[in-house]
């Protein structure tokens, strides 16, 4: 399955919106999760093939010629136009996904698989808490739009500066806290955790979504569980990436990191 670029928009200095359409999405079936994503396959510059390609045809190529898979959040699906919108965080030439998104033009193709996802705001929760950095911002935006009307919703989002803030909407009573890391030389790992710890304590059942940089996500998780703000059964917590590692290096250690994080509260 693949999409063709039918539109692009620079949402902020570090976020690009890509709208995909075309007959290659004929078999796309949207999921039900609020944080649904598609596995996208980005081709190296010297790839001796194009989109669409067969998995078997590229499996035995040298690693540097094989496509690089990345999970990208589905920001929206338009069933009438059959168009898929994804928002991609970009940081110059760093990362295959961001580099492709920043250069994408009409007609460019992107192969994908999915969607998948696991989180939906619990319909019986008393309030909702969504936390993450810009890598999680598209999912946070989608989650905020999926809560029941009138319920309290708090989003805590870390971005580089005010220029990277994006408008968020929700049928709930939405309160957004932006955390800026520009100019900070230390303590970045605790920015989100400190912001969450400073929030007023909510009452009742809280459904929480905490995704983004690995060390920051773990720090937020500690605050939420150790302070009894969120029960673990109502917490979706996932490290998307880690400072100082490219995607391949992070993939190699992610499973161990997740196990270590889970062990912190095992049996508690």
């Amino acid at each position: 399955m693949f999409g063709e670029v039918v539109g692009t928009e620079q949402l902020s200095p570090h976020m690009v919106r890509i709208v995909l359409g075309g007959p290659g999405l004929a078999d796309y079936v949207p999921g039900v999760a609020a944080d649904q994503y598609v596995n996208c396959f980005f081709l190296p510059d010297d790839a001796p093939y194009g989109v669409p390609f067969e998995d078997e045809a590229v499996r035995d190529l040298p690693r540097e010629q094989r496509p690089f898979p990345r999970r990208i959040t589905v920001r929206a699906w338009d069933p009438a136009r059959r168009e898929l919108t994804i928002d991609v965080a970009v940081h110059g030439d760093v990362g295959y996904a961001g580099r492709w998104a920043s250069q994408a033009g009409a007609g460019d193709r992107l192969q994908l698989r999915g969607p998948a996802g696991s989180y939906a705001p619990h319909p019986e929760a008393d309030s909702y808490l969504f936390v993450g950095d810009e890598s999680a911002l598209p999912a946070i935006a989608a989650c905020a739009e999926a809560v029941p009307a009138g319920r309290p919703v708090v989003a805590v989002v870390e971005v580089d500066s005010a220029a990277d803030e994006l408008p968020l909407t929700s049928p709930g009573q939405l309160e957004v806290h932006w955390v800026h890391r520009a100019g900070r030389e230390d303590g970045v790992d605790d920015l989100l955790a400190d912001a969450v710890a400073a929030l007023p304590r909510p009452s009742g059942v809280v459904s929480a979504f905490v995704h983004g940089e690995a060390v920051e996500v773990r720090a937020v998780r500690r605050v939420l569980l150790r302070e009894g703000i969120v029960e673990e059964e109502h917490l979706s917590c996932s490290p998307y990436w880690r400072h100082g590692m490219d995607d391949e290096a992070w993939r190699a250690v992610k499973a161990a990191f997740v196990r270590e994080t889970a062990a912190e509260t095992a049996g508690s």
Side-chain angles (χ1 to χ4, degrees):
M1 182 166 50
F2 66 94
E4 298 179 7
V5 175
V6 297
T8 66
E9 181 181 0
Q10 188 81 40
L11 299 178
S12 74
H14 297 106
M15 190 72 72
V16 174
R17 173 162 292 173
I18 305 291
V19 181
L20 301 169
L25 293 178
D27 294 331
Y28 184 86
V29 179
V32 297
D35 69 332
Q36 60 186 300
Y37 60 86
V38 286
N39 283 297
C40 299
F41 299 89
F42 298 95
L43 276 55
D45 293 336
D46 60 348
Y49 56 91
V51 175
F53 58 85
E54 297 293 335
D55 291 344
E56 295 78 9
V58 301
R59 190 169 295 149
D60 295 329
L61 290 173
R63 181 65 192 95
E64 64 272 12
Q65 292 184 353
R66 298 201 298 268
F68 292 89
R70 298 291 185 271
R71 290 181 175 181
I72 306 294
T73 297
V74 174
R75 184 63 187 86
W77 167 252
D78 185 330
R81 301 175 64 89
R82 298 202 61 79
E83 291 180 349
L84 180 71
T85 297
I86 56 176
D87 292 349
V88 184
V90 299
H91 296 279
D93 284 337
V94 178
Y96 287 95
R99 186 163 63 248
W100 180 87
S102 65
Q103 300 172 357
D108 287 352
R109 292 179 170 185
L110 178 64
Q111 190 143 328
L112 51 91
R113 184 184 302 143
S118 59
Y119 176 78
H122 195 289
E124 303 301 324
D126 296 292
S127 64
Y128 304 89
L129 175 63
F130 306 136
V131 184
D133 58 21
E134 57 265 67
S135 69
L137 182 51
I140 289 173
C143 289
E145 294 170 356
V147 305
R151 305 274 177 86
V153 184
V154 176
V156 183
V157 187
E158 178 191 323
V159 293
D160 192 58
S161 69
D164 293 297
E165 297 178 8
L166 296 176
L168 302 180
T169 61
S170 175
Q173 300 174 15
L174 178 62
E175 177 183 317
V176 183
H177 298 262
W178 295 100
V179 180
H180 300 157
R181 62 175 171 270
R184 297 288 295 264
E185 297 181 358
D186 54 18
V188 175
D189 290 345
D190 295 319
L191 281 178
L192 282 174
D194 290 346
V196 170
L199 294 173
R201 291 295 186 268
S203 59
V205 175
V206 180
S207 176
F209 178 88
V210 181
H211 292 221
E213 197 280 328
V215 176
E216 293 187 79
V217 162
R218 182 164 61 184
V220 173
R221 182 180 185 273
R222 288 169 178 161
V223 170
L224 295 179
L225 296 180
R226 292 178 179 178
E227 297 295 324
I229 298 170
V230 178
E231 296 294 330
E232 193 164 5
E233 64 184 296
H234 296 302
L235 173 61
S236 173
C237 192
S238 179
Y240 287 165
W241 63 287
R242 187 168 183 176
H243 286 301
M245 292 185 176
D246 62 21
D247 197 68
E248 279 63 43
W250 170 234
R251 284 169 180 263
V253 302
K254 180 178 179 179
F257 182 92
V258 170
R259 286 195 299 270
E260 292 169 3
T261 300
E264 293 181 349
T265 51
S268 63

